[in-house]
Amino acid sequence: MYSVRMRAEKGGRHISGAERLVSEEEIQDSVQSLTGRALSHERGKPDFVNISVEAVKSPVKNLASLPVILHNAGNVMEGRNAARRTLEFLGIPGFCIQKALSLLENGPSDGQSMRGAIIMDMQGNRLEPDRERGVRATRMDITEKAAGELTKSLSGKGLSSYFTHVKEALVLATKVASIDGTVAELCWSDDPYYTAGYVASGRTGYIRIPYLKENGDSHGGRVFFVDNINIPGYINEIENKPVLIDRFAGIREFTDFHTI
Ligand code: AMP
């Protein structure tokens, strides 16, 4: 298999990025579609696009996706409360939750977004070696069959227009949750018009929260909460271990923590 990755910049600032994990016959099509994405992002026309194609040497791990759980928060306050309660349910100390929320709210890299994620331990320490870049999860994708099941489920819930966002986030969250040492992940986009985000973990599934920030706010990011990790080993798995999601685990409404 091959990892095909795209990143687009304008004036040195990150605009968009995406990736696929494909067979040799699919390389050309995926290069074309990723180029199209780079050139048509709502954040603007890039002046630099990098597309890389790289043979994946280690064996690909096949996984079922996390189940998608839809939270019905009606505004940002309810959304943040839902995120806080889920992270508490997973045993993350309150001061770590507060620190993570304010980092994402204010822009984790001196008021700016990071390209990758924060890694935070249970003492609230940030473990990512580069605080501007963060750690990027890569080498992951979803099969057409599993993506088709996700499309169908989302359209049954009236969420078809969010397919690409949810698909990519679910793939990333499933990979991150599968790595030893991950307790939970918190994410909301830095895309100013995408207000949804999620808390994900192996125990709870992928809890999609429709409002984690106000419309028009360009602050966002990701935090991987971890416990007991070997930092280089953990980062190596996040960045390099190839993961292919080949089954979709379904979608349902959030009711309460006892049914998770
Ligand atoms: P997005 O959901 O694409 O808007 O990304 C939201 C935030 O998540 C970005 O600002 C980055 O900080 C982080 N992020 C994006 N892609 C990745 C990735 N592949 N691995 C880790 N963090 C990422």
Side-chain angles (χ1 to χ4, degrees), residues 239-254:
E239 291 181 337
N240 296 320
K241 186 159 215 153
V243 161
L244 185 64
I245 312 298
D246 62 356
R247 283 152 289 157
F248 174 56
I251 197 162
R252 63 178 190 271
E253 311 281 335
F254 178 88

Side-chain angles (χ1 to χ4, degrees), residues 4-5 20 27 56 69 71 83 93 99 107 167 195 200 210 248 251:
V4 183
R5 300 203 292 280
R20 303 288 319 277
I27 293 174
V56 165
I69 321 275
H71 198 284
K99 182 171 177 181
K167 179 187 79 164
T195 61
F248 174 56
I251 197 162

Side-chain angles (χ1 to χ4, degrees), residues 76-102:
V76 178
M77 203 178 77
E78 288 176 15
R80 296 261 175 105
N81 277 339
R84 207 174 278 120
R85 287 195 53 213
T86 309
L87 293 167
E88 278 166 4
F89 170 80
L90 289 165
I92 295 165
F95 67 94
C96 297
I97 300 171
Q98 198 43 50
K99 182 171 177 181
L101 287 167
S102 36

